[in-house]
Amino acid sequence: MSFELRIDQLSKTYPNGTHALKGISLVIPPGMFGLLGRNGAGKSTLMRTIATLQEPDSGTITFGDPSAGSGQVIDVIRDKERLRETLGYLPQSFGFHPRVSAERLLSHFAVMKGVVDAGARHDVVEAQLRRTNLWDVRHKRVGTFSGGMRQRLGVAIALLGNPRLIIVDEPTAGLDPEERVRFLNLLGEIGQSSAVILSTHIVEDVEELCSSLAVIDRGEILLTATPAQAIAQVRGSIWRRSISREELPALEREHAVISTKLKAGQTIAHVYAQHWPGAGFEPVEPDLKDVYFAVMGGHAGVRAAA
Amino acid sequence: MRLAETFRYELGYRLRSGSTWLYGGLLFLLAFYVVHVDNGGSHTVTGNAPFRVAEITALFCGLFGTLVTAALFADAALRDRASRMDPLLFTTRLRPAEYLGGRFLAALLVNAVLLLATPLGLFIGSLMPYLQREGLGPNHLSTYVQPVLLFSLPNLVLVGALLFTIAVLSRHAIAAYLGAIAIFAGYLVAAGLWGGISSPMLSVLADPLGINALKAMTKYWTAVERNVRTIGFPAMLLVNRVLWLAIAGGVLGLLLRTFRFTERFGLGRVDDESNEVPRGLGVSRSSSEGGDAPKVAGVFGRRTRILQTLAVMREALTDIASGWPFRVAFVAAIALVPLLGWDVGAHYIDTVTWPVTHLVASVVIADGAVFIPWVIIALFAGELVWKDRDSGVAEIADAVPVRTATVLLGRFLALVGIIVIFQCALMLGGMLLQALRGYYHFEPLLYVKILFGFKLADFVLLGALAMTIHVLVNQKYVGHLFMIMVIVLTQGALYHHLLIYNSSPAWTYSEMNGFGPFVAPFIAFRLYWAAWALLLGVVAFLSWPRGPELGIRKRLVAARARFTAPVMRLAGAAGVLVVVFGGFIFYNTNILNEYLSWDRIGAPQAEYERRYGRYRDLPQPVMTAADLRIELYPEQTAVDMSGTYRLVNRTGATIRTVHVETPRERGGYAVRSMSFDRASRPRLTDAAYGYRIFELAQPLAPGEALQFRFDVSFRPRGFAERWQQTKVVRNGSYFDRMLLPFIGYQPFEITDAKERERYGLPPKKAMAAPGDADARRYQNVVRDLERIPVETIVGTSLDQTAIVPGVLRRSWTENGRRYFHYGTREPETFATAVFSARYAVTEGKWNHVALQVFHHPPHRANVDRMIGAMTSALDYYTTVFGPYPYRELCVVEVPPYSINGRAFPSALALAEQNFITRNEKGQVDLTFFGTAHETAHQWWGGQVRPAYAKGRSFVSESLANYSAMMVTENVLGPAAARRVYDYQMERYLTNRAQLGRDVPLLQVDDAPYVSYGKGAVALYTLREQIGADAVNLALRRFLEKYCRGGPPYPTSLDLYAELRAVTPPPLYPLLTDLFETITLWDFKTKSATYRRLPDGRYEVTLDVRAQKLRADEVGRETPTPMDDVVEVGVFAAGSDAPIYLARHRMKSGKQTLKILVSQQPSRAGVDPEGKLIERVREDNMVKVTE
């Protein structure tokens, strides 16, 4: 099983002038891939383009196993329908026709995804409902569902038909902690047998699940690595200091503060520096958050000065 | 499989929706209601006749059906996007064709089922036992099924395809609604332009909904045919249906090619990130962009509320105005006005008027294009109410500390703003229309008065209703439909205006008198309805949905909580205003004036007859002279009338009592005094019904004379519920002797047999037949009319001129008023009239006759043409008929309130519209023709007064129209006369079919399409056969015999006798056909072939079918043997002049004609110039083949 999603020089500019994607190139192997970035970075545009809902201005996307011959590789941009046969997409914002039951909807989507045989469909629908804990409410109208329930139904739909490419855009944003954990567990299970792209701005999600990640900002990839590689890049350059609120502006002037946090009334600042910045600073074993802020701050990754 | 699944899913969704069934119910109820409305009207065409069912199904319910279609297909097209399920769907294996196909077909199926509600409603309506049975015929299945197959279903496919495509491609539901309105408006425009298409095949094919084709097919069907004949499946119509179904298919094909799942994202969606500004990092950094936001507490007081209201208004208005549906609608409104109003004022023959501002503003915009504001109001009220919920910010917006009242008021003000903007658009459209037609006197102030004064008040009140409905009804599309239905159903409702929301008495604008007496009632009623609108506002406020819970119970609870003291006070105040204004209106309409509900309009007349009809033949003295003094006060709209009648007992009996009839003393008419020159005692005084009986102390012996003095006044007060009095106005007063007393019972009775029965009156003999013995006794319904001398003194205000037909003896000023003394040159029938206005006068002369035109000063443009017409007419008539007996002839302009034109001895009254007709090159203009027609009445109807019997209109109107046509031919040329002729023929044939009645010329009394229309045609046809000189000789003789004579008066039979006298006996059957009966011819040239003869000429062989039909009054036809002379014509290619035109004798049935011509023939046929009355002319001429 060695398929991959290969993105090459993908660009997209919207008619109002926004450069959403600037020559993105990525290779996404099977397993969980995290795409980290803030709002407006281009994540959703990229997700939609891969999910065949948007056309890029230039570039290519291919999905498949290149070693198995070119016939097994799907040119996503030109051959959208072929990709959709094996695609599961959970967009950032979505909804349902309000007056339909969960079961009916799922059955409808099952047909849309190719589960044509009535008996098989019945089984699949039941399985998905149970898996996402919606079996008890399967007859209720979707309009009465809470946000978390809707999200689970979305997942159920995305997973219909055992897709090999699953794109999940900001999935845990509106979920409570319990639901988030459940969701991430579910994703983790699937990650074994498909390529799952998790696009999010919640660093913890990527940290917990993903076997590789990329950081994107303003249409550009700033960093591509595994979590371990990413952390290694900034190991030894992250320092911590505890200060008061009034001292912060001075600190920011003198050092490269990459993040601040409030803890029990004190402000804890993380600073990037190649060498020990001085008194009051402690070294910190970096986590992915530090990597992220460092990259965003231009201290690591593509934007770092050489 | 996916297509089938999509279809099934969509079908299930639609069927489970309550709104679907609601639409069906509304369509059903509408059809049901229409049957009831129909049943109350005339019954010549039964309510469930095949024709009528087809008409209602195709047209009336088809239009509402279009709105339902818009709702259903827009929902099918856009629900996925609206609910944001589309990204989930479009990333499955679903293909665009399957997606669109499933949604479209399901909506189509559901809508098709719903459409059956219309014929079902008509059918069930017709079964109701309480309806009048004679208004309904037998029910056949085909009656109901055929229109559905022919019209409803194919139209649904076409309209559905169009609206679905619009909705999908535009992604806005409102675009589909506007599309539905565009179809409707396009239909109105096309119907107006329909006559312009000459090729009948093209005109049938070019009709997408088939309605105009149906009309064309059935244009000349009589009542009998309409009741019985089914529409069938005529070939042309089937071709039309197939063609438009193919076009529908093409539209769908276009949609399939254009629609893609991609590119529907990324812009304009809530989650779109391209519009988002990259923000700072999630974790705060203090001194990054910005810094601390200043802490400002919100201020909540009255000023805040006002500012908030204005802010809400501004926000809502900008939001809607920046959306492209609004902009498209704005531009469309501007464009529609010229399209709809291109021929404004065109009515008589093919004349048009100048597009004067008041016509454009009132007829085109306020009346014709009124559906534009209705739709705008209904749609945008919905948008405003649903704005937050549609865009998803409802939960945020509802929690903001802005009071509900502020939001409601702000949104309402935004709606008012939208209405104002659209009125501006309509005004621009009106000016565009005027400019395009070459008229630049825009009068913007008048536009403002009409569009922003009258109509704006109207629409704002409508807007209040629309918003309230949308607040109450939970579904936006249902609210739209509801609103449109309410609007349509309140048009033309027959109840008191106090009871129908937003209704008020109709108004007419006059260039002489402005808005005149219509302003006061308009304002009063608007204030009243504004009070109701305030109550509606309270209801809307109480029910305004705030928060996500929309169920009825929750809303009632919320409403109760909002019903605080201030709200109660407001509602109370509104209620008080309703009572105050309503009471004021009631006082005016029902107490100061008389209110008669629509079914009691004839009650006073009936009562009058019931009480005094027995005095019908009581001997009474007749008037031999009259002296009148009329004091007119235009500024107060009042007139005092006094005078003396000289009466003589011309009967052989002694007269003991004198009966005096006056108008009823209601609505401002009062009798101040009445007396005789000898002792008398009032025996009966019935002011309510205007009847008095005086007993003479000394009876009047035969031959004795008596003087009767009276003093009456007409001082109307207040305003009436429906029709305002327009006799005495500030500028342009006109009234006739109906305001003065009559001597003896006058049979002003109800003539319609059904009405008489309804009021319990004994059946009355309809007007005397011309052959009856006593037919010649009277020449008017009024009994006392010998020709008498009349002297009239009229006083009016200083700046006005008063005119009474006759000779002006002198005029002077006295007491700050102007006085005129008019007298009759010779004794005339006492039919006086009084005109008073600020006139300008233009003078002319014809021989010894002084010509004058008294007109509204700005109406100068056509006056010279009028004088020219009078001159030409006098020229012609005096040459051909007989002398003109007076030394003056004047035209007086009157406002358009009552008459279009009327003739008096030596005077013609013409309404304003005659003064603004526009003469385009080669067209017949109304000014010329109307003046010539009214001038002809100086002979026909003036010097010769026909007896008051059936056929009298033949003597007066047919002759007048014929005379006017002769003058037209003389002065403007044969082509112009031909156009008039064609128009009269068309008028006759169309009206007789529409009204379901016809009557032979010799019997015609009040069917103008017969007397004016057929009469002119018949006389012209006769002229063609026997020559103009012969006809004119007959008329001259008729004039000489009966000129200025007293009883016995001439009837149509006398005129007919003269015509017969000049007609050679072989043509007597033609006379019978034209005048004594209702006769229609029918020719059909089956084929025409030619062969070349050795001598170079061509022999044309025509295979012709001919038949002649006699019809009865309702249109039942029986064939009659034909043996008539008919013209046959042969034409060469490229020329309209015949190479052969001669009369042939034809019999009924099949015949073959052989004709020799010297050129190569291209077309040939029977009666090419349409000289015989025939309904279907298209099959008379055919191409000639080898």
Side-chain angles (χ1 to χ4, degrees):
Chain A
M1 206 189 46
S2 58
F3 57 82
E4 62 184 16
L5 179 75
R6 182 175 282 270
I7 304 171
D8 199 24
Q9 289 296 313
L10 202 66
S11 294
K12 171 80 181 178
T13 307
Y14 285 113
N16 66 359
T18 315
H19 286 294
L21 303 173
K22 297 178 194 163
I24 304 253
S25 294
L26 276 178
V27 177
I28 298 172
M32 295 286 292
F33 182 89
L35 185 66
L36 264 181
R38 54 183 171 175
N39 294 325
K43 300 197 303 294
S44 290
T45 305
L46 182 58
M47 295 297 99
R48 279 200 295 267
T49 309
I50 302 173
T52 71
L53 288 177
Q54 248 179 308
E55 299 258 357
D57 294 338
S58 61
T60 60
I61 306 175
T62 58
F63 180 72
D65 185 355
S67 65
S70 64
Q72 291 284 50
V73 175
I74 306 172
D75 179 342
V76 173
I77 296 170
R78 256 184 272 272
D79 202 356
K80 296 187 174 60
E81 289 179 350
R82 225 172 124 199
L83 180 69
R84 288 180 193 146
E85 291 173 11
T86 185
L87 173 69
Y89 177 49
L90 189 65
Q92 182 175 15
S93 101
F94 65 91
F96 299 102
H97 295 160
R99 288 204 295 272
V100 189
S101 73
E103 188 175 25
R104 179 72 186 95
L105 264 177
L106 212 45
S107 167
H108 183 58
F109 273 100
V111 175
M112 294 302 128
K113 296 228 172 183
V115 185
V116 173
D117 174 60
R121 187 161 72 243
H122 183 94
D123 296 335
V124 163
V125 166
E126 178 171 345
Q128 291 288 24
L129 286 172
R130 286 195 191 281
R131 192 176 179 189
T132 52
N133 231 322
L134 292 172
W135 180 249
D136 295 328
V137 295
R138 66 189 183 282
H139 291 311
K140 291 185 74 175
R141 293 187 163 188
V142 181
T144 64
F145 279 12
S146 71
M149 292 161 82
R150 252 183 275 145
Q151 195 78 347
R152 298 209 296 270
L153 185 58
V155 169
I157 290 172
L159 298 180
L160 280 173
N162 297 317
R164 283 192 305 156
L165 175 63
I166 300 172
I167 300 173
V168 185
D169 194 353
E170 306 273 10
T172 63
L175 299 181
D176 65 43
E178 199 180 310
E179 286 178 332
R180 178 169 161 270
V181 164
R182 217 182 289 137
F183 181 85
L184 292 175
N185 285 339
L186 190 57
L187 273 193
E189 277 175 36
I190 312 159
Q192 317 282 2
S193 51
S194 332
V196 179
I197 308 179
L198 171 63
S199 158
T200 180
H201 60 268
I202 301 177
V203 185
E204 288 86 349
D205 289 351
V206 174
E207 195 159 24
E208 287 170 32
L209 282 182
C210 297
S211 53
S212 45
L213 65 95
V215 176
I216 182 173
D217 189 39
R218 276 183 249 164
E220 293 174 318
I221 301 289
L222 300 183
L223 176 75
T224 318
T226 68
Q229 289 167 349
I231 290 174
Q233 275 190 35
V234 299
R235 187 173 283 121
S237 305
I238 308 293
W239 311 88
R240 184 178 70 183
R241 182 166 163 180
S242 181
I243 52 171
S244 67
R245 194 161 174 68
E246 298 76 42
E247 293 173 296
L248 187 56
L251 191 71
E252 284 174 343
R253 276 197 295 275
E254 286 173 23
H255 301 280
V257 175
I258 59 172
S259 71
T260 59
K261 192 160 61 185
L262 280 178
K263 197 163 181 184
Q266 286 280 64
T267 304
I268 301 191
H270 282 210
V271 160
Y272 182 91
Q274 305 269 4
H275 308 286
W276 185 54
F281 284 97
E282 294 173 343
V284 158
E285 170 65 17
D287 59 14
L288 207 55
K289 269 216 281 288
D290 293 315
V291 177
Y292 178 65
F293 289 130
V295 169
M296 295 300 282
H299 310 294
V302 161
R303 286 196 189 139
Chain B
M1 182 59 206
R2 286 188 293 266
L3 174 59
E5 169 64 21
T6 310
F7 175 80
R8 234 173 315 156
Y9 175 86
E10 182 69 20
L11 192 66
Y13 195 91
R14 209 56 254 170
L15 291 178
R16 273 197 311 266
S17 259
S19 58
T20 309
W21 304 110
L22 193 66
Y23 295 144
L26 285 176
L27 287 178
F28 177 84
L29 283 176
L30 196 62
F32 192 72
Y33 173 71
V34 167
V35 175
H36 287 68
V37 168
D38 247 4
N39 198 250
S42 101
H43 293 157
T44 41
V45 180
T46 55
N48 59 345
F51 168 80
R52 188 87 184 110
V53 168
E55 199 180 40
I56 297 175
T57 307
L59 175 68
F60 188 39
C61 300
L63 292 177
F64 283 100
T66 311
L67 287 178
V68 169
T69 305
L72 287 177
F73 281 87
D75 184 55
L78 298 174
R79 193 186 328 117
D80 299 305
R81 185 179 168 85
S83 64
R84 290 175 297 157
M85 201 164 97
D86 46 347
L88 300 180
L89 273 178
F90 296 167
T91 49
T92 62
R93 297 186 192 195
L94 186 62
R95 305 275 171 102
E98 295 160 347
Y99 170 68
L100 292 175
R103 296 261 184 270
F104 178 76
L105 290 174
L108 190 65
L109 179 60
V110 171
N111 203 343
V113 169
L114 286 185
L115 282 185
L116 296 178
T118 299
L120 198 64
L122 292 174
F123 175 66
I124 301 229
S126 74
L127 294 178
M128 289 296 110
Y130 49 78
L131 291 177
Q132 304 181 43
R133 294 328 298 179
E134 68 268 15
L136 297 164
N139 273 330
H140 298 296
L141 191 64
S142 62
T143 304
Y144 297 96
V145 167
Q146 267 179 9
V148 169
L149 293 179
L150 263 185
F151 297 107
S152 306
L153 289 180
N155 287 349
L156 170 64
V157 173
L158 178 65
V159 172
L162 278 173
L163 297 182
F164 187 72
T165 305
I166 291 177
V168 169
L169 294 180
S170 73
R171 305 177 212 170
H172 268 108
I174 204 169
Y177 272 91
L178 292 177
I181 301 308
I183 292 177
F184 175 50
Y187 228 76
L188 282 187
V189 171
L193 300 173
W194 210 251
I197 302 181
S198 48
S199 154
M201 185 175 83
L202 189 62
S203 87
V204 169
L205 286 183
D207 177 12
L209 298 184
I211 299 175
N212 285 321
L214 173 68
K215 282 213 170 103
M217 258 172 55
T218 57
K219 188 157 73 152
Y220 296 143
W221 284 16
T222 59
V224 171
E225 287 179 297
R226 287 171 191 216
N227 278 335
V228 168
R229 239 173 115 169
T230 56
I231 309 292
F233 296 99
M236 263 337 327
L237 203 51
L238 285 180
V239 172
N240 165 299
R241 307 280 79 194
V242 168
L243 171 68
W244 285 97
L245 281 176
I247 292 182
V251 169
L252 289 173
L254 179 72
L255 175 64
L256 281 177
R257 288 207 55 197
T258 329
F259 177 78
R260 281 206 290 268
F261 287 147
T262 59
E263 299 308 340
R264 296 174 72 74
F265 302 89
L267 282 177
R269 303 245 325 194
V270 177
D271 58 334
D272 168 51
E273 68 186 359
S274 69
N275 287 334
E276 291 174 22
V277 176
R279 284 191 235 116
L281 293 181
V283 180
S284 71
R285 283 163 60 187
S286 65
S287 54
S288 51
E289 306 98 48
D292 282 328
K295 291 198 175 14
V296 182
V299 175
F300 303 103
R302 164 163 304 162
R303 190 163 163 273
T304 310
R305 289 207 293 278
I306 295 178
L307 291 175
Q308 282 177 334
T309 307
L310 291 177
V312 169
M313 176 186 101
R314 220 185 355 253
E315 190 263 327
L317 201 50
T318 351
D319 187 34
I320 288 197
S322 61
W324 70 259
F326 182 87
R327 295 174 182 189
V328 167
F330 185 82
V331 172
I334 300 182
L336 259 180
V337 176
L339 283 177
L340 285 173
W342 194 251
D343 281 330
V344 65
H347 42 282
Y348 204 69
I349 313 171
D350 52 2
T351 61
V352 288
T353 57
W354 286 99
V356 294
T357 300
H358 77 87
L359 267 187
V360 172
S362 53
V363 172
V364 178
I365 298 181
D367 291 342
V370 70
F371 65 91
I372 297 177
W374 288 349
V375 164
I376 299 295
I377 292 172
L379 288 186
F380 285 111
E383 291 300 300
L384 284 167
V385 170
W386 284 84
K387 218 163 67 70
D388 295 333
R389 278 172 281 175
D390 278 347
S391 64
V393 305
E395 299 196 13
I396 302 177
D398 285 349
V400 160
V402 173
R403 289 159 170 244
T404 305
T406 307
V407 175
L408 180 59
L409 189 57
R411 298 270 172 92
F412 179 68
L413 290 176
L415 185 62
V416 173
I418 291 177
I419 297 173
V420 167
I421 292 176
F422 269 90
Q423 293 295 87
C424 290
L426 291 173
M427 184 166 110
L428 286 175
M431 292 190 186
L432 181 64
L433 166 62
Q434 292 177 303
L436 287 177
R437 297 292 269 163
Y439 178 82
Y440 301 104
H441 183 46
F442 293 126
E443 297 181 84
L445 196 58
L446 184 56
Y447 269 117
V448 168
K449 282 189 200 167
I450 294 181
L451 294 182
F452 294 94
F454 278 81
K455 296 313 282 185
L456 186 64
D458 196 350
F459 294 139
V460 167
L461 290 174
L462 209 60
L465 179 67
M467 283 199 79
T468 309
I469 287 184
H470 276 291
V471 167
L472 291 173
V473 175
N474 264 350
Q475 254 245 32
K476 187 161 70 164
Y477 299 149
V478 175
H480 287 153
L481 197 63
F482 206 72
M483 184 65 198
I484 301 278
M485 288 194 73
V486 165
I487 293 177
V488 170
L489 287 177
T490 56
Q491 300 308 306
L494 295 170
Y495 302 105
H496 197 297
H497 285 301
L498 278 175
L499 300 174
I500 315 263
Y501 184 75
N502 207 23
S503 72
S504 68
W507 53 270
T508 310
Y509 180 78
S510 149
E511 296 204 14
M512 290 174 79
N513 199 30
F515 293 103
F518 303 105
V519 178
F522 181 83
I523 293 181
F525 271 94
R526 293 293 158 217
L527 287 175
Y528 169 71
W529 289 117
W532 276 103
L534 208 50
L535 281 176
L536 280 179
V538 169
V539 169
F541 167 74
L542 292 177
S543 337
W544 185 266
R546 201 138 183 184
E549 305 204 300
L550 299 181
I552 287 195
R553 224 166 299 159
K554 294 279 170 24
R555 294 243 241 151
L556 280 178
V557 167
R560 206 165 300 148
R562 286 195 199 130
F563 198 45
T564 55
V567 175
M568 263 190 261
R569 277 199 293 269
L570 183 62
V576 166
L577 284 177
V578 164
V579 170
V580 163
F581 289 129
F584 174 71
I585 291 173
F586 187 82
Y587 176 66
N588 270 278
T589 60
N590 288 38
I591 298 182
L592 285 183
N593 291 286
E594 188 170 24
Y595 169 66
L596 293 167
S597 62
W598 66 274
D599 59 341
R600 299 295 303 162
I601 287 185
Q605 236 180 330
E607 184 61 22
Y608 170 77
E609 182 182 340
R610 221 174 282 129
R611 292 187 186 192
Y612 306 113
R614 67 193 121 115
Y615 297 125
R616 193 172 293 127
D617 294 314
L618 191 70
Q620 287 286 288
V622 291
M623 223 191 295
T624 56
D627 275 303
L628 303 171
R629 191 179 174 103
I630 314 240
E631 296 279 1
L632 193 57
Y633 303 99
E635 286 304 309
Q636 288 105 291
T637 66
V639 60
D640 293 331
M641 297 162 278
S642 58
T644 312
Y645 294 158
R646 189 163 178 281
L647 308 171
V648 169
N649 180 358
R650 290 222 199 279
T651 72
T654 320
I655 291 176
R656 281 175 220 290
T657 54
V658 178
H659 295 215
V660 179
E661 191 267 347
T662 62
R664 303 172 57 228
E665 283 178 66
R666 282 285 322 244
Y669 192 84
V671 172
R672 293 198 187 141
S673 73
M674 284 184 178
S675 62
F676 295 88
D677 65 346
R678 60 174 71 185
S680 67
R681 191 173 67 79
R683 210 175 82 182
L684 172 84
T685 307
D686 185 354
Y689 288 94
Y691 205 77
R692 284 169 175 74
I693 301 180
F694 294 92
E695 185 164 346
L696 300 172
Q698 194 154 19
L700 197 65
E704 261 198 280
L706 180 66
Q707 288 232 8
F708 169 70
R709 272 187 285 276
F710 64 89
D711 187 357
V712 298
S713 75
F714 179 52
R715 290 170 173 262
R717 288 164 60 205
F719 50 83
E721 187 265 344
R722 204 153 281 258
W723 311 114
Q724 312 306 321
Q725 79 81 22
T726 51
K727 293 183 165 42
V728 187
V729 295
R730 302 180 87 126
N731 188 31
S733 305
Y734 156 60
F735 56 91
D736 60 14
R737 74 159 297 194
M738 295 300 287
L739 280 186
L740 298 171
F742 290 84
I743 303 296
Y745 174 83
Q746 302 301 326
F748 299 135
E749 296 166 353
I750 298 174
T751 46
D752 182 68
K754 269 233 184 73
E755 286 292 291
R756 291 186 67 84
E757 197 185 313
R758 208 152 66 76
Y759 288 112
L761 295 169
K764 170 171 127 145
K765 191 159 104 85
M767 198 182 268
D772 284 359
D774 59 349
R776 294 190 167 74
R777 227 169 108 195
Y778 299 111
Q779 49 87 356
N780 199 317
V781 65
V782 174
R783 291 297 178 82
D784 67 344
L785 296 179
E786 291 185 359
R787 291 180 190 261
I788 60 172
V790 181
E791 297 296 314
T792 315
I793 297 180
V794 190
T796 182
S797 41
L798 208 49
D799 58 346
Q800 294 202 1
T801 310
I803 298 153
V804 173
V807 183
L808 177 63
R809 302 216 194 277
R810 81 181 174 108
S811 78
W812 69 100
T813 326
E814 187 184 314
N815 284 341
R817 284 166 59 74
R818 239 174 120 187
Y819 285 87
F820 301 82
H821 181 167
Y822 288 92
T824 52
R825 187 174 289 283
E826 326 219 355
E828 293 292 346
T829 46
F830 182 33
T832 198
V834 177
F835 307 87
S836 174
R838 288 183 279 281
Y839 286 117
V841 61
T842 305
E843 313 207 322
K845 207 161 172 66
W846 176 82
N847 293 358
H848 58 281
V849 177
L851 304 175
Q852 286 172 306
V853 178
F854 293 93
H855 60 95
H856 184 45
H859 284 171
R860 189 79 191 61
N862 284 330
V863 172
D864 291 327
R865 202 190 341 278
M866 257 177 212
I867 295 191
M870 283 195 277
T871 311
S872 309
L874 284 170
D875 245 348
Y876 186 82
Y877 299 152
T878 50
T879 315
V880 166
F881 300 141
Y884 178 71
Y886 310 112
R887 270 188 234 130
E888 49 282 306
L889 179 64
C890 68
V891 172
V892 185
E893 182 170 6
V894 290
Y897 300 136
S898 45
I899 53 171
N900 183 54
R902 189 168 160 193
F904 300 92
S906 79
L908 318 172
L910 285 178
E912 282 178 26
Q913 50 265 30
N914 293 283
F915 285 78
I916 55 172
T917 60
R918 177 179 188 164
N919 193 32
E920 293 190 351
K921 225 184 183 63
Q923 262 186 352
V924 180
D925 73 292
L926 182 61
T927 310
F928 185 90
F929 192 85
T931 310
H933 176 103
E934 297 300 334
T935 308
H937 274 309
Q938 300 296 319
W939 283 263
W940 315 120
Q943 298 184 61
V944 175
R945 296 207 63 107
Y948 189 69
K950 290 196 197 176
R952 62 182 181 140
S953 315
F954 176 55
V955 175
S956 55
E957 300 302 345
S958 303
L959 287 185
N961 237 20
Y962 171 72
S963 312
M965 276 175 68
M966 305 292 332
V967 176
T968 305
E969 187 181 70
N970 239 11
V971 174
L972 299 182
R978 179 87 222 164
R979 263 199 297 278
V980 179
Y981 176 88
D982 288 336
Y983 171 80
Q984 304 295 356
M985 176 79 85
E986 168 83 12
R987 180 186 189 183
Y988 170 59
L989 288 173
T990 321
N991 277 294
R992 72 180 287 269
Q994 262 177 17
L995 297 172
R997 267 179 56 226
D998 201 352
V999 60
L1001 270 173
L1002 293 185
Q1003 313 280 340
V1004 66
D1005 173 41
D1006 69 342
Y1009 52 97
V1010 178
S1011 54
Y1012 289 71
K1014 181 180 174 182
V1017 165
L1019 286 167
Y1020 230 72
T1021 303
L1022 185 62
R1023 183 187 91 136
E1024 292 287 303
Q1025 297 279 4
I1026 65 175
D1029 290 335
V1031 176
N1032 291 342
L1033 175 63
L1035 295 182
R1036 228 186 347 263
R1037 286 192 189 147
F1038 180 67
L1039 178 68
E1040 280 165 26
K1041 267 199 192 135
Y1042 297 100
C1043 179
R1044 310 198 71 81
Y1049 297 100
T1051 64
S1052 53
L1053 294 177
D1054 297 314
L1055 174 58
Y1056 189 52
E1058 294 300 332
L1059 291 172
R1060 238 177 123 85
V1062 300
T1063 306
L1067 287 176
Y1068 281 173
L1070 179 66
L1071 285 181
T1072 309
D1073 290 335
L1074 290 174
F1075 299 105
E1076 291 185 54
T1077 58
I1078 303 170
T1079 304
L1080 302 157
W1081 283 264
D1082 187 16
F1083 302 109
K1084 192 180 168 78
T1085 307
K1086 288 218 67 125
S1087 70
T1089 55
Y1090 74 90
R1091 66 187 178 93
R1092 224 198 140 109
L1093 295 175
D1095 64 358
R1097 292 191 297 174
Y1098 298 83
E1099 182 189 68
V1100 180
T1101 308
L1102 292 164
D1103 179 10
V1104 171
R1105 301 272 183 293
Q1107 66 166 336
K1108 193 156 88 167
L1109 302 156
R1110 285 275 161 80
D1112 69 3
E1113 307 229 337
V1114 289
R1116 273 185 289 260
E1117 295 171 358
T1118 37
T1120 279
M1122 177 168 137
D1123 183 17
D1124 288 328
V1125 168
V1126 184
E1127 271 189 359
V1128 175
V1130 181
F1131 296 79
S1135 164
D1136 271 341
I1139 56 177
Y1140 174 89
L1141 188 67
R1143 290 199 242 267
H1144 288 248
R1145 206 152 194 96
M1146 286 202 199
K1147 297 195 177 316
S1148 314
K1150 185 174 148 69
Q1151 48 223 292
T1152 314
L1153 304 166
K1154 286 202 192 299
I1155 300 173
L1156 290 171
V1157 294
S1158 54
Q1159 288 177 52
Q1160 175 158 27
S1162 113
R1163 299 174 292 132
V1166 182
D1167 197 23
E1169 303 200 339
K1171 293 182 179 168
L1172 291 172
I1173 301 175
E1174 184 180 7
R1175 279 177 298 181
V1176 181
R1177 257 184 229 291
E1178 290 82 31
D1179 55 2
N1180 283 21
M1181 302 287 291
V1182 293
K1183 283 174 89 95
V1184 189
T1185 54
E1186 190 97 42

